[in-house]
Amino acid sequence: MNMKANYNAKITKEQSEKLKKVKHLALDMDGTIYMENDIFPFTLEVLDALRSNGIGYSFLTNNPTKSVEDYLSKLHRMGIKADAGNMYSTPIATIDYIHKHYPKVRKLFMLGTPSMQEEFIDAGFEACADDSNDVPDMLVVAFDTTLTYSRLCRATWWASQGIPYIATNPDFVCPTDAKTILVDCGSLQKCIEAACGRKPDKVMGKPDPSMLDGIMDRNGLKADEIAMVGDRIYTDIAMGHNAGAVSLLVLSGETTLETALEVAQEAKTNPHPKHWPADLIVRDIKELADLLLEAKK
Protein backbone atom coordinates (compact mmCIF):
# COMPACT_ATOMS: atom_id res chain seq x y z
CA MET A 1 0.00 0.00 0.00
CA ASN A 2 1.39 3.38 -1.00
CA MET A 3 0.73 5.46 2.11
CA LYS A 4 1.76 8.66 0.35
CA ALA A 5 -0.69 8.15 -2.50
CA ASN A 6 -3.56 7.29 -0.13
CA TYR A 7 -2.84 9.89 2.54
CA ASN A 8 -5.42 12.62 3.06
CA ALA A 9 -4.74 15.50 5.43
CA LYS A 10 -7.09 15.99 8.37
CA ILE A 11 -7.03 19.71 8.99
CA THR A 12 -7.82 21.32 12.33
CA LYS A 13 -9.42 24.70 12.92
CA GLU A 14 -6.05 26.09 14.02
CA GLN A 15 -4.38 24.86 10.82
CA SER A 16 -7.20 26.29 8.73
CA GLU A 17 -6.74 29.69 10.40
CA LYS A 18 -3.03 29.61 9.58
CA LEU A 19 -3.74 28.80 5.94
CA LYS A 20 -6.32 31.57 5.76
CA LYS A 21 -3.58 34.18 6.43
CA VAL A 22 -1.16 32.85 3.81
CA LYS A 23 -0.65 35.15 0.80
CA HIS A 24 2.51 33.63 -0.69
CA LEU A 25 4.02 30.15 -1.06
CA ALA A 26 7.77 29.58 -1.05
CA LEU A 27 8.04 26.38 -3.09
CA ASP A 28 10.90 23.95 -2.96
CA MET A 29 11.38 22.50 -6.43
CA ASP A 30 12.69 18.92 -6.69
CA GLY A 31 10.24 16.65 -4.88
CA THR A 32 7.63 19.39 -4.56
CA ILE A 33 6.74 20.66 -8.06
CA TYR A 34 8.71 18.08 -10.03
CA MET A 35 10.88 14.97 -9.54
CA GLU A 36 14.30 15.39 -11.15
CA ASN A 37 13.24 16.30 -14.72
CA ASP A 38 9.62 15.16 -14.66
CA ILE A 39 6.90 17.62 -13.68
CA PHE A 40 4.09 16.30 -11.50
CA PRO A 41 0.80 16.03 -13.45
CA PHE A 42 -0.97 18.46 -11.11
CA THR A 43 1.70 21.20 -10.92
CA LEU A 44 0.53 23.46 -13.75
CA GLU A 45 -3.08 23.25 -12.58
CA VAL A 46 -2.06 24.20 -9.04
CA LEU A 47 0.06 27.18 -10.12
CA ASP A 48 -2.79 28.45 -12.34
CA ALA A 49 -5.20 28.16 -9.40
CA LEU A 50 -2.86 30.08 -7.11
CA ARG A 51 -2.45 32.90 -9.63
CA SER A 52 -6.21 33.06 -10.29
CA ASN A 53 -6.86 33.46 -6.58
CA GLY A 54 -4.23 36.13 -5.95
CA ILE A 55 -1.78 33.88 -4.10
CA GLY A 56 1.84 34.53 -4.99
CA TYR A 57 4.64 32.00 -5.14
CA SER A 58 8.41 31.81 -5.39
CA PHE A 59 10.67 28.88 -6.27
CA LEU A 60 13.63 28.16 -3.98
CA THR A 61 16.82 26.15 -4.40
CA ASN A 62 19.96 25.59 -2.33
CA ASN A 63 22.00 24.74 -5.44
CA PRO A 64 24.11 27.77 -6.51
CA THR A 65 25.80 26.20 -9.55
CA LYS A 66 23.13 27.36 -12.00
CA SER A 67 21.97 30.92 -12.61
CA VAL A 68 18.41 32.15 -12.25
CA GLU A 69 18.18 32.09 -16.06
CA ASP A 70 19.26 28.43 -16.08
CA TYR A 71 16.52 27.50 -13.63
CA LEU A 72 13.92 29.57 -15.46
CA SER A 73 14.83 27.76 -18.68
CA LYS A 74 14.22 24.42 -16.96
CA LEU A 75 10.86 25.60 -15.60
CA HIS A 76 9.85 26.96 -19.02
CA ARG A 77 10.68 23.61 -20.66
CA MET A 78 8.22 22.03 -18.21
CA GLY A 79 5.55 24.56 -19.16
CA ILE A 80 5.80 26.54 -15.90
CA LYS A 81 5.26 30.28 -16.28
CA ALA A 82 7.88 32.11 -14.21
CA ASP A 83 10.23 35.06 -14.33
CA ALA A 84 13.12 36.32 -12.19
CA GLY A 85 10.65 37.65 -9.65
CA ASN A 86 9.48 34.09 -8.97
CA MET A 87 12.96 32.65 -8.45
CA TYR A 88 15.04 32.83 -5.27
CA SER A 89 18.34 30.98 -5.17
CA THR A 90 21.15 30.98 -2.62
CA PRO A 91 23.31 33.34 -4.75
CA ILE A 92 20.43 35.83 -4.94
CA ALA A 93 19.84 35.47 -1.19
CA THR A 94 23.56 36.02 -0.58
CA ILE A 95 23.58 39.13 -2.79
CA ASP A 96 20.57 40.54 -0.93
CA TYR A 97 22.21 39.73 2.42
CA ILE A 98 25.47 41.48 1.47
CA HIS A 99 23.63 44.55 0.20
CA LYS A 100 21.63 44.72 3.42
CA HIS A 101 24.35 43.94 5.99
CA TYR A 102 27.59 44.90 4.19
CA PRO A 103 26.60 47.85 1.96
CA LYS A 104 30.22 48.98 1.46
CA VAL A 105 31.46 45.61 0.15
CA ARG A 106 32.31 45.67 -3.56
CA LYS A 107 35.23 43.31 -4.22
CA LEU A 108 34.64 39.57 -3.77
CA PHE A 109 36.86 36.55 -3.99
CA MET A 110 34.47 33.75 -4.96
CA LEU A 111 34.56 29.99 -5.15
CA GLY A 112 31.69 29.31 -7.53
CA THR A 113 30.80 28.46 -11.11
CA PRO A 114 31.15 31.12 -13.81
CA SER A 115 27.35 31.48 -14.05
CA MET A 116 27.12 32.08 -10.30
CA GLN A 117 29.93 34.64 -10.39
CA GLU A 118 28.17 36.43 -13.25
CA GLU A 119 25.12 36.91 -11.04
CA PHE A 120 27.26 38.74 -8.46
CA ILE A 121 28.92 40.83 -11.15
CA ASP A 122 25.52 41.73 -12.60
CA ALA A 123 24.51 42.83 -9.09
CA GLY A 124 27.36 45.35 -9.01
CA PHE A 125 30.19 43.39 -7.40
CA GLU A 126 33.72 42.96 -8.72
CA ALA A 127 35.32 39.50 -8.90
CA CYS A 128 38.88 39.37 -7.57
CA ALA A 129 41.57 37.37 -9.34
CA ASP A 130 43.59 34.53 -7.82
CA ASP A 131 46.27 37.02 -6.85
CA SER A 132 47.54 38.01 -3.40
CA ASN A 133 47.66 41.65 -4.55
CA ASP A 134 43.97 41.68 -5.54
CA VAL A 135 42.60 42.01 -2.00
CA PRO A 136 38.84 41.35 -1.63
CA ASP A 137 36.40 43.00 0.76
CA MET A 138 34.71 39.63 1.33
CA LEU A 139 35.10 35.90 0.68
CA VAL A 140 32.12 34.03 -0.81
CA VAL A 141 32.28 30.22 -0.95
CA ALA A 142 29.75 28.16 -2.92
CA PHE A 143 29.28 24.72 -4.47
CA ASP A 144 31.89 24.98 -7.23
CA THR A 145 31.99 22.30 -9.93
CA THR A 146 34.79 24.25 -11.65
CA LEU A 147 37.02 24.43 -8.57
CA THR A 148 40.81 24.49 -8.97
CA TYR A 149 43.31 23.75 -6.22
CA SER A 150 44.96 27.18 -6.39
CA ARG A 151 41.63 28.98 -5.88
CA LEU A 152 40.79 26.79 -2.89
CA CYS A 153 44.19 27.67 -1.42
CA ARG A 154 43.62 31.37 -2.12
CA ALA A 155 40.17 31.27 -0.51
CA THR A 156 41.68 29.65 2.58
CA TRP A 157 44.31 32.38 2.71
CA TRP A 158 41.68 35.12 2.59
CA ALA A 159 39.66 33.33 5.28
CA SER A 160 42.78 33.29 7.47
CA GLN A 161 43.11 37.07 7.07
CA GLY A 162 39.84 37.76 8.90
CA ILE A 163 37.86 39.39 6.09
CA PRO A 164 34.07 38.83 6.11
CA TYR A 165 33.31 35.29 4.92
CA ILE A 166 29.93 34.02 3.69
CA ALA A 167 28.98 30.58 2.36
CA THR A 168 26.00 30.14 0.06
CA ASN A 169 24.69 26.83 1.49
CA PRO A 170 25.44 24.20 4.16
CA ASP A 171 25.10 21.01 2.04
CA PHE A 172 28.06 18.62 2.31
CA VAL A 173 27.14 16.75 -0.89
CA CYS A 174 24.80 17.36 -3.81
CA PRO A 175 22.40 14.46 -4.50
CA THR A 176 23.10 12.46 -7.65
CA ASP A 177 22.25 9.08 -9.14
CA ALA A 178 25.70 8.86 -10.74
CA LYS A 179 28.41 6.64 -9.27
CA THR A 180 30.32 9.51 -7.70
CA ILE A 181 30.12 11.92 -4.76
CA LEU A 182 29.49 15.57 -5.61
CA VAL A 183 31.42 17.53 -2.97
CA ASP A 184 29.24 20.51 -2.08
CA CYS A 185 29.73 23.82 -0.31
CA GLY A 186 29.61 22.46 3.25
CA SER A 187 32.58 20.20 2.53
CA LEU A 188 34.57 23.12 1.14
CA GLN A 189 33.83 25.04 4.33
CA LYS A 190 35.17 22.11 6.38
CA CYS A 191 38.30 22.00 4.23
CA ILE A 192 38.96 25.70 4.79
CA GLU A 193 38.24 25.34 8.51
CA ALA A 194 40.65 22.40 8.83
CA ALA A 195 43.40 24.37 7.09
CA CYS A 196 43.09 27.73 8.85
CA GLY A 197 40.59 27.32 11.71
CA ARG A 198 38.01 29.73 10.25
CA LYS A 199 34.32 29.05 9.87
CA PRO A 200 32.02 31.26 7.74
CA ASP A 201 30.49 34.26 9.46
CA LYS A 202 27.20 33.33 7.80
CA VAL A 203 25.93 30.25 5.98
CA MET A 204 23.02 30.99 3.66
CA GLY A 205 20.51 28.52 2.22
CA LYS A 206 18.09 26.17 3.92
CA PRO A 207 17.63 25.82 6.88
CA ASP A 208 18.88 29.39 7.50
CA PRO A 209 15.87 31.76 7.41
CA SER A 210 17.55 34.38 5.22
CA MET A 211 15.99 33.10 1.98
CA LEU A 212 12.49 33.45 3.40
CA ASP A 213 13.43 36.80 4.93
CA GLY A 214 14.50 37.95 1.46
CA ILE A 215 11.23 36.82 -0.12
CA MET A 216 9.27 38.58 2.62
CA ASP A 217 11.25 41.79 2.04
CA ARG A 218 10.78 41.49 -1.72
CA ASN A 219 7.00 41.03 -1.45
CA GLY A 220 6.21 43.12 1.65
CA LEU A 221 5.03 40.10 3.67
CA LYS A 222 4.83 39.26 7.35
CA ALA A 223 5.97 35.86 8.62
CA ASP A 224 2.46 34.49 9.04
CA GLU A 225 1.61 35.51 5.44
CA ILE A 226 4.19 33.20 3.84
CA ALA A 227 4.32 29.40 3.86
CA MET A 228 7.41 27.31 3.18
CA VAL A 229 6.41 24.25 1.16
CA GLY A 230 8.83 21.37 0.73
CA ASP A 231 9.54 17.66 1.03
CA ARG A 232 12.43 17.74 3.52
CA ILE A 233 11.96 18.20 7.25
CA TYR A 234 15.59 19.09 8.06
CA THR A 235 15.88 21.82 5.39
CA ASP A 236 12.50 23.06 4.09
CA ILE A 237 10.48 22.68 7.29
CA ALA A 238 13.40 23.77 9.46
CA MET A 239 13.76 26.98 7.44
CA GLY A 240 10.06 27.72 7.78
CA HIS A 241 10.29 27.23 11.53
CA ASN A 242 13.45 29.36 11.80
CA ALA A 243 11.77 32.21 9.90
CA GLY A 244 8.59 32.05 11.99
CA ALA A 245 6.64 31.23 8.82
CA VAL A 246 3.99 28.58 8.20
CA SER A 247 5.63 25.26 7.29
CA LEU A 248 3.91 22.76 4.99
CA LEU A 249 5.35 19.30 4.32
CA VAL A 250 4.49 17.49 1.09
CA LEU A 251 4.85 13.70 0.85
CA SER A 252 5.64 13.77 -2.89
CA GLY A 253 9.40 13.72 -2.39
CA GLU A 254 11.93 12.53 0.19
CA THR A 255 10.07 12.38 3.51
CA THR A 256 7.81 9.43 4.27
CA LEU A 257 4.58 9.71 6.23
CA GLU A 258 6.06 7.48 8.94
CA THR A 259 9.02 9.84 9.43
CA ALA A 260 6.79 12.93 9.45
CA LEU A 261 4.51 11.41 12.11
CA GLU A 262 7.50 10.33 14.23
CA VAL A 263 8.86 13.89 14.16
CA ALA A 264 5.44 15.28 15.12
CA GLN A 265 5.11 12.79 17.99
CA GLU A 266 8.57 13.60 19.38
CA ALA A 267 7.78 17.33 19.38
CA LYS A 268 4.76 16.68 21.61
CA THR A 269 6.97 15.33 24.42
CA ASN A 270 10.32 17.04 23.79
CA PRO A 271 10.54 20.86 24.09
CA HIS A 272 13.80 20.74 22.09
CA PRO A 273 13.26 18.08 19.40
CA LYS A 274 15.94 17.11 16.89
CA HIS A 275 13.64 18.28 14.09
CA TRP A 276 10.64 20.61 14.21
CA PRO A 277 7.43 19.23 12.73
CA ALA A 278 5.50 20.88 9.92
CA ASP A 279 2.40 22.92 10.69
CA LEU A 280 0.58 20.68 8.22
CA ILE A 281 1.37 17.46 6.34
CA VAL A 282 -0.22 17.06 2.90
CA ARG A 283 0.02 14.44 0.17
CA ASP A 284 1.22 16.93 -2.46
CA ILE A 285 0.76 20.53 -3.60
CA LYS A 286 -2.57 19.61 -5.21
CA GLU A 287 -4.02 18.69 -1.82
CA LEU A 288 -2.36 21.76 -0.30
CA ALA A 289 -3.91 24.09 -2.89
CA ASP A 290 -7.36 22.56 -2.30
CA LEU A 291 -7.05 23.10 1.46
CA LEU A 292 -5.60 26.59 1.07
CA LEU A 293 -8.36 27.79 -1.25
CA GLU A 294 -11.02 26.18 0.93
CA ALA A 295 -9.63 27.98 4.01
CA LYS A 296 -9.89 31.32 2.21
CA LYS A 297 -13.58 31.00 1.31
Side-chain angles (χ1 to χ4, degrees), residues 28-93:
D28 170 57
M29 299 203 296
D30 202 350
T32 301
I33 63 170
Y34 57 72
M35 184 64 72
E36 295 185 355
N37 293 307
D38 297 320
I39 190 171
F40 291 132
F42 45 75
T43 296
L44 297 181
E45 174 191 346
V46 167
L47 297 179
D48 284 342
L50 294 175
R51 283 195 302 271
S52 297
N53 286 274
I55 299 169
Y57 54 83
S58 300
F59 303 112
L60 278 72
T61 177
N62 257 20
N63 189 333
T65 60
K66 295 180 176 65
S67 68
V68 166
E69 286 303 317
D70 292 333
Y71 280 111
L72 289 176
S73 294
K74 179 173 183 175
L75 294 176
H76 291 164
R77 287 195 298 272
M78 293 180 174
I80 296 174
K81 298 175 182 177
D83 57 31
N86 297 116
M87 193 73 222
Y88 210 69
S89 63
T90 47
I92 298 302

Side-chain angles (χ1 to χ4, degrees), residues 61-65 142-145 168-190 206 232 234-235 254:
T61 177
N62 257 20
N63 189 333
T65 60
F143 177 24
D144 187 359
T145 56
T168 59
N169 57 294
D171 310 72
F172 288 108
V173 297
C174 181
T176 179
D177 292 330
K179 294 181 179 180
T180 187
I181 293 178
L182 299 179
V183 176
D184 208 327
C185 183
S187 297
L188 297 183
Q189 295 165 47
K190 285 295 184 182
K206 310 169 192 176
R232 293 182 177 183
Y234 55 92
T235 55
E254 178 179 304

Side-chain angles (χ1 to χ4, degrees), residues 242-257:
N242 292 339
V246 180
S247 58
L248 306 173
L249 178 70
V250 292
L251 299 175
S252 51
E254 178 179 304
T255 302
T256 64
L257 177 59

Side-chain angles (χ1 to χ4, degrees), residues 152 156 159-160 165 186-200:
L152 176 59
T156 304
S160 74
Y165 168 20
S187 297
L188 297 183
Q189 295 165 47
K190 285 295 184 182
C191 181
I192 292 171
E193 180 185 351
C196 74
R198 178 88 182 277
K199 294 181 180 180

